[in-house]
Amino acid sequence: MRAEKPERPREIGGGTAEVPGFERQAPAVCNANPSDGTPGLLEEVLCRENLMAACARVVSNGGAPGIDGMSVEALMPYCREHWVAIREKLFQGTYRPQPVRRVTIPKPGGGRRHLGIPTVLDRMIQQALHQVLQPIFDPTFADESYGFRRGRSALDAVEQARSHIRAGHRWVVDLDIDSFFDRVNHDVLMARVARRVKDKRVLRLIRRYLQVGVLEGGLVSPRREGTPQGGPLSPLLSNILLDELDRELQRRGHRFVRYADDCNVYVRSKAAGERVMASLERFLGKRLRLRVNRSKSAVDRPWKRKFLGYTVTAEHKARLRVSPESTKRLKAKLQPLLRRGRGASLARTCEELAPILRGWTAYYRKVETKESFEVLDEWIRRKLRVIYWRQWKRPKTRRRELMRRGIDPERARLSAGNGRGPWWNAGARHMNQAIPTRSLRRLGLMSLLDEHRRLQCLS
C-alpha cells in the first residue's frame, strides 16, 4: 500500500476536525521534514495530522472487518470515544493488537493464499506507521525494486525486464521464494528495521504486529514467523527484508528486476543462469532464512516464462505479449458472468463485461502484439452467440429467429435442427451471419483490440 500526503481534516467526513483523542492529546502538526528514525519517532506516528491521514486512507480503502466485526464506517466514531486510552497504551508500550482473521483465496497460478485481515483500528495504526516509515526506507531501496513504491508500478518493472532482454540477456533466472509472506523470520527482519529505526517503542510495536495471532476456526494460533498479508505494513516490511537480496545482486553486477517477492535475473547463457540460481539459493537460506521453491523456479528463455502477467516474443527485439496464463485467468473470470447471462438481456451482460474488460486492457496496455486481444474478442463474441442459441431453446424458435435476422428459410430450417451443441453453432456461419459483430457492438460490447489501440494512442 502506498503512503499518501496527509489530508486536510475537513475532508475526512463530517465533524472529524473535532476528534477528541486526535486533537487534544496529539501534537497539532507533524514534523516538517521526514524523520530519520531517531528516538521520538512514535510521537511522529501518533501526531494528529498523520493519524487523520491514516484514518482517511483506511476508510477510503474499505475492506472487510476484522475479528471484532467493526466496519470502516464505525472507525471514526470509535476513535472519538476510545482514542485517548488507546494512545496512552501505545505510549506506555502496553497496547496489544488483536488477532487477525484468516481468509484463504485462490492464487492465480494455482494453490491457495492465506490473508490475515486485521481489525480496522489496527489497520489505522499500521497505516500511520507506514506513512512515517516509508519516507525513511524508500529512498534507500534499490532502483531495481518496483513493488509497493510510490511512482513505480508493475508496468515499469515489465518494461525494465524487456530492456534487459533486448540488451542480449536472453536467459532468465525466474526466482520463486517459497511461501515468502508465511516464512519471514521475525528476528532477521527486525534486525534490518532496527538499522534505521532507533525508537524502541516503534520497534516493539512492529514486532507485536508480526507476532499477532491468527484466528481460524474459532481458535487463535500464535505466529512465530511470517508477516500476514492484508495489513498496510506488510508490503513495506517485505521490501525492507528483500532489499538485502537487491544489494547482493547489485554487488555481483547482475541485471535484474524485482516486484515484491517476484524476482527475475537476466543473464547471457544457461550455464550462467544455473550458477546464479544455485548461489542465490544459498544466499537466501543463509542470510535471510528463506527457501527457493525449485518446482516453480527455473532457468529458461524469457519467452517461455511469465513475469507479472506478461511474456515476450522470441525475436531479437523482444516485444511484450500477454502470457497464456493471463488469458486463461480472464476467461475463467468471465465464465460465471457469461453463464449467468443466459437468463438476462445481452445488453445487460455487455454492460457487466465492460468494466472488467476495460480494466484488463488497461493493465496490458504495454503489450506490443495484437494476437491475444483478437483471440479474446473472438472468444467473447462466440460466448455471447452461445447465449442467444440457448435462449432460443427449441428448433422452431431458432428457425424463426434465424429467418428474422436474414437467413433464408431452408438454411434456417437445416441450421435450427442440425443437432449440434451451442458452442459449435455459435461458431458456425449461420450464427455469425445472423448476429454479426456490429450487432453485438450496438448492444454495448467493448472490443479489447479497439480499446488497446485507443490506450496506445493516448500513451
Side-chain angles (χ1 to χ4, degrees):
M1 182 179 293
R2 296 175 180 173
E4 292 187 346
K5 294 180 181 179
E7 301 189 23
R8 292 178 62 85
R10 61 181 175 83
E11 297 174 350
I12 310 174
T16 57
E18 300 300 328
V19 179
F22 289 175
E23 185 161 78
R24 290 203 306 268
Q25 301 297 325
V29 293
C30 296
N31 295 338
N33 298 316
S35 172
D36 59 359
T38 55
L41 192 64
L42 186 60
E43 280 75 12
E44 188 172 346
V45 171
L46 300 181
C47 84
R48 180 176 179 277
E49 291 289 333
N50 192 53
L51 288 169
M52 295 295 283
C55 184
R57 186 65 186 266
V58 170
V59 172
S60 66
N61 284 344
I67 65 168
D68 60 357
M70 185 192 300
S71 65
V72 293
E73 292 79 12
L75 175 59
M76 185 57 77
Y78 181 86
C79 287
R80 287 194 184 102
E81 185 176 353
H82 300 285
W83 181 252
V84 174
I86 295 168
R87 181 180 179 276
E88 193 63 27
K89 288 181 180 179
L90 286 164
F91 276 123
Q92 291 176 355
T94 58
Y95 179 79
R96 299 282 177 178
Q98 294 192 63
V100 299
R101 181 169 62 87
R102 171 160 285 183
V103 176
T104 304
I105 61 173
K107 285 185 178 181
R112 310 290 290 178
R113 174 178 285 120
H114 301 297
L115 301 181
I117 308 301
T119 64
V120 291
L121 175 63
D122 283 322
R123 294 211 290 269
M124 185 189 76
I125 297 172
Q126 284 193 44
Q127 179 63 27
L129 282 166
H130 180 277
Q131 290 168 178
V132 171
L133 295 177
Q134 182 83 3
I136 297 173
F137 285 95
D138 193 82
T140 70
F141 291 151
D143 289 340
E144 293 84 355
S145 168
Y146 289 87
F148 313 119
R149 299 183 64 188
R150 173 171 288 184
R152 290 166 171 256
S153 69
L155 300 187
D156 296 328
V158 167
E159 288 190 314
Q160 185 62 53
R162 179 189 59 185
S163 70
H164 293 325
I165 299 167
R166 285 182 173 179
H169 297 74
R170 294 169 65 81
W171 287 88
V172 62
V173 181
D174 189 353
L175 198 65
D176 184 275
I177 300 175
D178 187 26
S179 304
F180 171 72
F181 284 95
D182 295 329
R183 297 188 184 277
V184 170
N185 183 280
H186 293 170
D187 292 334
V188 173
L189 172 58
M190 290 307 301
R192 279 140 187 85
V193 175
R195 291 174 183 174
R196 298 190 62 82
V197 174
K198 304 305 178 185
D199 192 325
K200 293 183 179 180
R201 299 167 300 173
V202 172
L203 294 173
R204 185 189 305 117
L205 184 59
I206 294 172
R207 185 177 281 274
R208 283 181 180 169
Y209 275 116
L210 289 173
Q211 295 176 336
V212 71
V214 178
L215 178 67
E216 186 176 26
L219 298 175
V220 177
S221 305
R223 178 179 286 274
R224 295 181 177 85
E225 63 178 5
T227 171
Q229 289 179 268
L233 204 53
S234 292
L236 175 61
L237 296 178
S238 69
N239 273 337
I240 292 172
L241 183 63
L242 290 176
D243 186 60
E244 190 149 343
L245 170 63
D246 298 341
R247 297 304 175 185
E248 178 65 16
L249 290 169
Q250 283 182 334
R251 187 185 65 80
R252 299 181 186 184
H254 289 308
R255 296 194 177 211
F256 71 98
V257 181
R258 183 178 66 80
Y259 188 94
D261 57 332
D262 289 333
C263 184
N264 278 7
V265 185
Y266 296 90
V267 294
R268 292 186 180 274
S269 69
K270 185 176 182 179
E274 296 289 357
R275 289 195 300 270
V276 170
M277 176 69 81
S279 63
L280 289 181
E281 190 171 12
R282 290 192 299 270
F283 173 83
L284 288 168
K286 184 177 180 180
R287 293 288 293 276
L288 302 181
R289 301 188 190 179
L290 296 170
R291 293 203 302 255
V292 172
N293 187 334
R294 273 292 189 168
S295 64
K296 295 183 178 180
S297 301
V299 177
D300 208 341
R301 294 293 195 178
W303 48 90
K304 295 182 180 179
R305 308 292 295 181
K306 63 180 177 66
F307 181 56
L308 302 177
Y310 280 76
T311 186
V312 295
T313 59
E315 60 203 44
H316 181 72
K317 188 179 179 181
R319 293 182 297 160
L320 294 175
R321 297 174 56 230
V322 180
S323 72
E325 294 85 352
S326 298
T327 302
K328 291 178 183 177
R329 285 201 299 271
L330 178 63
K331 287 182 177 180
K333 185 175 183 177
L334 297 180
Q335 282 282 18
L337 193 154
L338 292 167
R339 194 174 295 117
R340 193 169 66 244
R342 296 172 189 171
S345 71
L346 268 293
R348 175 65 181 274
T349 301
C350 292
E351 183 182 342
E352 293 176 344
L353 284 172
I356 300 174
L357 300 181
R358 192 171 290 113
W360 192 86
T361 312
Y363 181 77
Y364 289 102
R365 64 183 180 273
K366 299 293 184 181
V367 166
E368 298 165 292
T369 62
K370 62 180 182 178
E371 177 187 3
S372 298
F373 300 104
E374 290 177 330
V375 169
L376 283 167
D377 274 339
E378 182 180 348
W379 180 83
I380 293 169
R381 290 195 297 267
R382 189 168 179 177
K383 294 293 286 188
L384 292 174
R385 292 184 181 109
V386 165
I387 295 175
Y388 271 113
W389 191 259
R390 288 184 181 278
Q391 287 180 344
W392 294 341
K393 293 182 180 178
R394 295 180 300 176
K396 182 179 179 181
T397 306
R398 290 168 179 166
R399 177 172 174 268
R400 184 179 69 245
E401 292 294 336
L402 288 172
M403 289 173 58
R404 190 167 70 87
R405 287 167 169 79
I407 307 298
D408 66 78
E410 180 61 18
R411 185 179 168 204
R413 183 185 67 81
L414 293 173
S415 299
N418 61 29
R420 303 270 192 169
W423 182 251
W424 185 91
N425 276 283
R429 186 179 300 174
H430 56 269
M431 281 298 284
N432 279 268
Q433 183 179 337
I435 306 173
T437 300
R438 63 178 179 274
S439 68
L440 295 175
R441 295 281 181 85
R442 284 197 294 267
L443 290 172
L445 178 64
M446 192 190 84
S447 166
L448 291 168
L449 183 59
D450 290 348
E451 179 68 7
H452 178 251
R453 287 170 175 164
R454 186 185 72 83
L455 292 173
Q456 286 196 320
C457 290
L458 293 175
S459 61

